[in-house]
Amino acid sequence: MPSVLPLGDPAPSDGHLPAQAADGAADRGFGLYVHIPFCAVRCGYCDFNTYTATELGGGASQDAYASTAIAEVEFAGAALTASGLPERRLQTVFFGGGTPTLLPAADLARILAAAVEEWGLAPGAEVTTEANPDSVTPQSLQLLADAGFTRVSFGMQSAVPHVLKVLDRTHTPSRVPQVVEWARAAGLSVSLDLIYGTPGESLEDWRYSLETALSYQPDHISAYALIVEAGTKLAAQIRRGEVPGIDDDDHAAKYELADELITASGLAWYEVSNWSRTPGQACRHNLAYWRGDDWWGVGPGAHSHVGGVRWWNVKHPTAYAGRLASGASPAAGRETLDAETRNVERVMLEARLSSGLAVESLGTSGRHAVAGLIADGLVDPAAAFKGNLVLTLKGRLLADAVVRRILPD
């Protein structure tokens, strides 16, 4: 969740949505994202809307945050009902941050219980929390599992101490196998998040991190290229020449190595940066984003999307808490997407999935581009022959370029 909010139209204080948001809603999935904006230390590469202070005042403090988030859950339920949305159970819930597990597990359980009270959970619903390896205990993970959480995503990032140091990560590599074991003992599915391309990380460093992560036999792995965001500590360090810059060729070599090793270990890619041991262990919450389903985002700076209407909350926790305390929507702005924009977004997101994109859904120029993409080795010719555009490994490396070539006329 980037810290800079987009521009947009004013959002109504009652949170009501236009009539179009309800069109076809019964056929779309519905999920909840809960942003926990607190971190013990702000990582040098992070541009997310996070805060290290334990007390920000009023309902923005860590102690009061669960009650404030629950207030938005209740506000959301009333706003969706008033807007004519049908009753839908939550298919996915995702607690992200920040570091959600900096809050007591009992607080996360309270927020989840409020969401279940408001909407209910669909059978087999996926409930995930992100966590830093040094922010959980066997007891806290068991409490989360008992409360209904099904999955935990640990921010491992690297197994190499000097790489973790550049990233300002606070855990030690030896902590990761411990927390994986604790999560499994609690009955939770385990995902590990990795970052490649950190300044000073060699290809052998990255190989070691991959092999180490895979030795823990996770159910899911995410591997993201490091992006240097303007205004971050890391961007300033690179600008001053204190650490080397980012190299695209280095990123490509590391992605290829990741795909080789992760695939050989029995996990299959289902989105450019994500692999799962079985299709059922893919992150269904993120798939809902990529497929354009509906979700409500709770928390400061959180983004929501329902039926082509997108909105985002005020950034600062104090302002966020104040809006809710007054009974007003915490939304800072919103936009209503037209059909063309929604189609462009659909192409951009679905093209990244292993399930592919129907060629017939592309515009004339996009359909004509497919032959060239096959010739360039960017899409699978067998899948394209069957009318489905699926990226090859080379295509995944150049996913943004592929999207530009197939965007609607």
Side-chain angles (χ1 to χ4, degrees):
M1 182 185 302
S3 61
V4 178
L5 295 178
L7 299 174
D9 300 322
S13 62
D14 59 12
H16 292 183
L17 303 176
Q20 80 160 62
D23 292 344
D27 298 323
R28 296 192 301 269
F30 178 50
L32 182 72
Y33 172 77
V34 182
H35 184 61
I36 309 297
F38 306 109
C39 282
V41 173
R42 186 172 181 84
C43 298
Y45 63 92
C46 181
D47 185 42
F48 283 11
N49 189 37
T50 61
Y51 301 83
T52 58
T54 57
E55 292 291 330
L56 291 169
S61 71
Q62 286 191 25
D63 289 343
Y65 188 76
S67 295
T68 304
I70 288 170
E72 187 178 1
V73 167
E74 294 170 347
F75 180 92
L80 291 173
T81 298
S83 301
L85 273 293
E87 291 186 6
R88 292 179 292 175
R89 293 185 181 184
L90 293 166
Q91 296 178 339
T92 64
V93 182
F94 194 102
F95 285 69
T99 307
T101 44
L102 275 187
L103 291 189
D107 280 359
L108 301 182
R110 282 180 57 210
I111 299 170
L112 177 60
V116 174
E117 176 69 20
E118 192 66 48
W119 293 292
L121 283 179
E126 174 191 273
V127 182
T128 302
T129 185
E130 294 180 333
N132 283 351
D134 54 2
S135 67
V136 297
T137 65
Q139 294 76 22
S140 69
L141 289 168
Q142 187 63 61
L143 195 156
L144 291 174
D146 292 345
F149 284 78
T150 64
R151 186 174 180 274
V152 60
S153 180
F154 289 116
M156 176 180 172
Q157 316 309 8
S158 175
V160 179
H162 78 82
V163 175
L164 291 173
K165 183 177 180 180
V166 172
L167 294 173
D168 291 321
R169 303 299 290 183
T170 56
H171 69 273
T172 59
S174 62
R175 180 75 170 184
V176 178
Q178 286 183 311
V179 299
V180 170
E181 181 179 348
W182 296 343
R184 290 201 185 284
L188 296 167
S189 177
V190 174
S191 178
L192 297 177
D193 284 359
L194 299 174
I195 290 178
Y196 60 88
T198 300
E201 177 192 60
S202 68
L203 188 62
E204 287 309 306
D205 287 336
W206 176 233
R207 177 185 292 275
Y208 179 74
S209 291
L210 286 166
E211 291 176 342
T212 301
L214 291 168
S215 73
Y216 306 144
Q217 298 187 324
D219 305 300
H220 183 281
I221 280 188
S222 298
Y224 298 109
L226 179 68
I227 298 174
V228 180
E229 302 286 358
T232 61
K233 172 186 172 183
L234 181 59
Q237 290 174 313
I238 291 174
R239 186 175 63 251
R240 293 192 297 263
E242 296 171 3
V243 295
I246 300 300
D247 181 88
D248 289 342
D249 291 337
D250 176 67
H251 275 189
K254 287 174 178 172
Y255 181 86
E256 290 176 334
L257 181 61
D259 187 67
E260 175 189 342
L261 296 182
I262 296 172
T263 300
S265 76
L267 284 78
W269 82 278
Y270 68 93
E271 191 276 339
V272 168
S273 300
N274 291 274
W275 294 257
S276 63
R277 194 163 297 282
T278 68
Q281 291 167 317
C283 181
R284 284 184 274 142
H285 187 81
N286 284 344
L287 282 170
Y289 292 158
W290 295 316
R291 291 172 176 164
D293 283 342
D294 293 348
W295 73 90
W296 189 292
V298 165
H303 287 231
S304 303
H305 172 269
V306 176
V309 183
R310 181 183 291 121
W311 67 96
W312 44 90
N313 289 347
V314 293
K315 278 179 52 180
H316 200 278
T318 301
Y320 168 75
R323 292 273 191 101
L324 288 165
S326 69
S329 167
R334 80 179 188 190
E335 59 181 344
T336 301
L337 308 178
D338 58 27
E340 180 181 357
T341 302
R342 293 180 74 178
N343 191 44
V344 167
E345 291 192 355
R346 180 189 60 79
V347 170
M348 292 175 63
L349 295 171
E350 290 188 12
R352 297 176 59 89
L353 300 176
S354 63
S355 54
L357 176 69
V359 173
E360 65 179 13
S361 70
L362 300 174
T364 303
S365 63
R367 292 194 299 272
H368 288 165
V370 172
L373 293 170
I374 293 172
D376 292 340
L378 300 174
V379 301
D380 182 341
F385 180 76
K386 297 177 181 178
N388 199 25
L389 189 147
V390 177
L391 299 178
T392 61
L393 174 59
K394 181 179 178 182
R396 283 181 269 155
L397 284 166
L398 299 170
D400 291 342
V402 173
V403 167
R404 286 193 294 272
R405 289 170 64 172
I406 61 173
L407 280 177
D409 301 317

